Amino acid sequence: MEHVVLTETGKQCLQSLLKIWLDFDISVTKVPIIRRLEQGRLSIEDYQKLLLNLRQQVIEGSRWISRCASSFDRQYSDIRSTVIHHAEEEHKDYMMLENDYVATGGCRESIEQASKNIGSEALHGFLMYRASQPNPVDLIGAMWIIEGLGNKMASKWAKLVNEQFSFDTSCTSFMEYHGENDENHLLELYQLIDRVATSEQNVNAIIRTAKVVAKLYQVQLEEVDNDN
């Protein structure tokens, strides 16, 4: 994908982000609930817990992305437009996730009233803090990890769930939707990398935020098995 990033500093940034993604991919496969999913040992209760815990991060996602957009000044108005469009597209995605949960036999009231797990709290707190800073170009690194999950993992996870369970109505619409649509979001990210990876300072900030978000997302998944 380096051919879609044109500037030299952009290519350097992308190479670092690809390395972070590979390390994150390996780490996620070691998280117990993901390991059970990939080994065909997931229970319906496990899948319900996964959906219930992801819902909070999805709801908060549109909030920090919107805050991020509002923190860009006129110098970055083109980025602000892209980020606003992204937030508008995703701000009701949690409803698909709720419907999937109900399709598995879960109670809608249970998922609507569930609170964030410890990892989700940490992830949301960090993202909102960074999104509140002036011109938070480093959040391109956060979007790289989260959009990458949708593009590279969601379809695979949906396929594995459907191989293990059979329901009257689809219970993987959220994952399937992101598996199909997040590729477009990644293409937008490549353009943003070219736009903001213009200095060593910006590249280092993007890389650091990508590393932090990857680690906190991993913790969020690890906490799915814990009662909070």
Side-chain angles (χ1 to χ4, degrees):
M1 283 294 180
E2 291 184 36
H3 63 282
V4 298
V5 175
L6 303 177
T7 65
E8 285 304 314
T9 50
K11 289 177 182 177
Q12 292 170 15
C13 183
L14 180 58
Q15 287 174 354
S16 296
L17 289 173
L18 288 169
K19 173 67 167 58
I20 294 167
W21 172 263
L22 289 175
D23 291 342
F24 175 59
D25 191 3
I26 293 171
S27 297
V28 165
T29 61
K30 296 177 182 176
V31 174
I33 195 164
I34 302 304
R35 192 163 62 231
R36 295 200 295 277
L37 171 63
E38 296 190 343
Q39 293 178 347
R41 298 186 296 110
L42 198 74
S43 68
I44 292 177
E45 290 75 19
D46 283 335
Y47 183 50
Q48 289 175 336
K49 284 195 301 183
L50 181 61
L51 293 174
L52 187 144
N53 281 271
L54 289 178
R55 174 183 179 271
Q56 298 306 315
Q57 178 247 316
V58 173
I59 289 177
E60 302 296 357
S62 60
R63 293 186 59 212
W64 73 258
I65 294 172
S66 299
R67 177 73 65 85
C68 171
S70 71
S71 295
F72 282 109
D73 62 23
R74 189 172 62 180
Q75 180 185 358
Y76 292 96
S77 61
D78 56 326
I79 297 178
R80 186 168 58 204
S81 296
T82 299
V83 177
I84 288 172
H85 176 66
H86 187 176
E88 192 275 335
E89 279 192 333
E90 297 198 349
H91 79 290
K92 291 185 178 179
D93 285 2
Y94 71 91
M95 297 172 75
M96 281 190 286
L97 211 152
E98 290 176 353
N99 290 336
D100 287 344
Y101 180 81
V102 173
T104 67
C107 173
R108 187 176 296 278
E109 187 177 32
S110 295
I111 192 169
E112 287 179 346
Q113 295 182 356
S115 57
K116 295 193 238 1
N117 73 34
I118 292 171
S120 301
E121 291 279 14
L123 178 61
H124 175 62
F126 174 76
L127 290 170
M128 285 299 279
Y129 164 70
R130 293 305 314 159
S132 302
Q133 304 307 304
N135 298 320
V137 297
D138 62 300
L139 285 174
I140 303 302
M143 295 177 194
W144 172 262
I145 295 298
I146 294 173
E147 295 299 330
L149 274 161
N151 177 250
K152 301 181 189 306
M153 291 186 180
S155 292
K156 180 178 73 172
W157 289 356
K159 182 174 182 291
L160 290 169
V161 169
N162 287 321
E163 287 175 353
Q164 294 178 53
F165 308 115
S166 177
F167 298 100
D168 293 336
T169 57
S170 173
C171 66
T172 54
S173 62
F174 173 80
M175 292 180 181
E176 290 168 352
Y177 172 81
H178 281 275
E180 294 171 1
N181 290 278
D182 281 357
E183 184 171 359
N184 292 331
H185 293 156
L186 278 178
L187 291 174
E188 290 179 346
L189 271 180
Y190 292 130
Q191 295 172 352
L192 292 179
I193 289 171
D194 258 340
R195 172 69 172 85
V196 303
T198 54
S199 67
E200 183 177 349
Q201 181 181 5
N202 281 2
V203 171
N204 289 340
I206 292 168
I207 291 170
R208 177 170 175 77
T209 291
K211 287 181 178 178
V212 173
V213 169
K215 184 63 178 179
L216 293 180
Y217 203 102
Q218 178 187 338
V219 173
Q220 175 181 246
L221 289 173
E222 290 170 347
E223 287 298 323
V224 169
D225 279 327
N226 296 329
D227 294 328
N228 297 292

